[in-house]
């Protein structure tokens, strides 16, 4: 018996197919995605052998702009992406969760058409315990002339993203991206060093059975968030009335929380479900960052049929006021997120 190989399309050829749909395309976008996939392979190689290499685990002893402990691998991944992105001058600005200020890149060899914002290693507080971590990226287009690039080019809402994606360094390494033409997942085959198409056109269920939230923060939530999570859990409100307008009416959901956004998001995208990081007394505007976490994942989820909200409206409509702006995040199955948004905005407006 001969075994037929599964789909052997690489991410590079997938992006090239996309480029062919736009005959006037310069190839800048294709080469930028190639740069990202190359950086992802380098990070994957080092994350997966982290426990074996001396002096790579643990923290650097420093804090980032968010006041969070910087892991050595955060720094490493950040440097890899900075080095690899825009090698042909396609990128004019790079922003990273790990750097206070954006980097204005050398565009002398190219068009400087794109802005890339990324979280090089999300969930890195889990890394020493071998839990899945990830990279998240968003790509916007410059709006000003090359010689006049300014903050407006960087601070664009998610609705202006031209592409976004994430890489999950898990039991296998996966690259998931969208350029507005569906969401496609590629699994790294380490024996040939290529990301191969494994999940074509991912669609997320309208309603899910999983909710993901750090429930230990319950005492620090607003009453409306407490009520939302209660109804996700029990399928009914405090008076025993069945959860209304919900895709999974009447049934309580199950809970899964890794504490690694990419991993929680990826699982819920495939199985259906919601991830939420609501405001807490510690983080009244939410903990997660709009530009390098919430907006790129919002583009992914919307292209997979889901939805992302800040509790009042679409994440994609939120205009950043700075590179590190935080937002509350409710993301995943469309029906469930719309229901949460309605619950939260109705009770807030009743106050
Ligand atoms: P990070 O970018 O510094 O890793 O922080 C983001 C992470 C997410 O991956 C995760 O979902 C969340 O923070 C967990 O936060 P908490 O420990 O407060 O539940
Ligand atoms: Mg992060």
């Amino acid at each position: 018996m001969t075994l037929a190989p599964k789909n052997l399309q690489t991410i590079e050829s997938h992006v090239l197919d996309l480029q062919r749909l736009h005959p006037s395309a310069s190839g800048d976008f294709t080469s930028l995605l190639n740069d990202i996939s190359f950086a992802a392979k380098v990070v994957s190689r080092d994350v997966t052998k982290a426990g074996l290499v001396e002096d790579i685990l643990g923290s650097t002893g420093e804090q980032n702009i968010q006041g969070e402990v910087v892991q050595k691998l955060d720094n490493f991944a950040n440097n890899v992406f900075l080095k690899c992105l825009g090698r042909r001058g396609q990128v004019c600005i790079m922003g990273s969760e790990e750097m206070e200020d954006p980097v204005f890149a050398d565009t002398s060899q190219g068009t400087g058409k794109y802005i890339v914002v990324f979280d090089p290693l999300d969930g890195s507080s889990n890394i020493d315990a071998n839990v899945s971590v990830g990279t998240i990226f968003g790509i916007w287009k410059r709006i000003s002339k090359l010689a006049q690039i300014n903050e407006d080019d960087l601070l664009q809402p998610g609705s202006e993203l031209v592409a976004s994606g994430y890489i999950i360094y898990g039991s296998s390494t996966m690259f998931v991206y969208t350029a507005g033409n569906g969401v496609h997942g590629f699994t790294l085959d380490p024996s040939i060093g290529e990301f191969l198409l494994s999940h074509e056109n991912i669609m997320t269920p309208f309603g899910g059975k999983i909710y993901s939230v750090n429930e230990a923060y319950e005492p620090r939530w607003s009453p409306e968030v407490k009520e939302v999570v209660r109804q996700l859990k029990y399928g009914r409100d405090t008076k025993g009335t069945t959860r209304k307008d919900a895709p999974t009416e009447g049934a309580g959901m199950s809970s899964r929380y890794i504490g690694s956004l990419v991993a929680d998001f990826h699982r819920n995208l495939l199985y259906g479900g919601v991830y939420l990081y609501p405001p807490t007394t510690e983080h009244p505007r939410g903990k997660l960052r709009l530009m390098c976490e919430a907006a790129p994942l919002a583009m992914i989820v919307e292209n997979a049929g889901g939805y992302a909200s800040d509790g009042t409206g679409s994440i994609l409509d939120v205009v950043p006021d700075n590179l590190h702006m935080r937002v509350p995040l409710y993301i995943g199955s469309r029906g469930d997120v719309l229901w949460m948004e309605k619950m939260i905005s109705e009770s807030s407006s009743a106050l």
Side-chain angles (χ1 to χ4, degrees), residues 195-248:
F195 282 107
L196 298 178
L197 184 61
S198 53
H199 297 64
E200 194 167 14
N201 223 353
I202 299 171
M203 293 301 290
T204 197
F206 182 73
K209 293 200 169 78
I210 298 169
Y211 73 95
S212 309
V213 67
N214 189 337
E215 231 162 328
Y217 297 150
E218 203 243 34
R220 307 180 214 167
W221 292 337
S222 66
E224 53 270 20
V225 170
K226 286 183 187 170
E227 182 58 23
V228 160
V229 176
R230 191 198 145 75
Q231 294 201 33
L232 292 176
K233 189 190 312 188
Y234 295 104
R236 54 186 71 86
D237 66 15
T238 32
K239 295 180 198 118
T241 313
T242 310
R243 181 183 150 197
K244 290 198 191 76
D245 309 326
T248 48

Side-chain angles (χ1 to χ4, degrees), residues 68 97-98 119 121-124 136 261 288-289 292-293:
E68 294 152 350
E97 181 183 304
E98 297 303 330
D119 181 351
L121 210 56
D122 183 71
S124 57
I136 308 171
L261 174 61
L288 300 173
R289 299 80 176 171
C292 65
E293 294 173 323

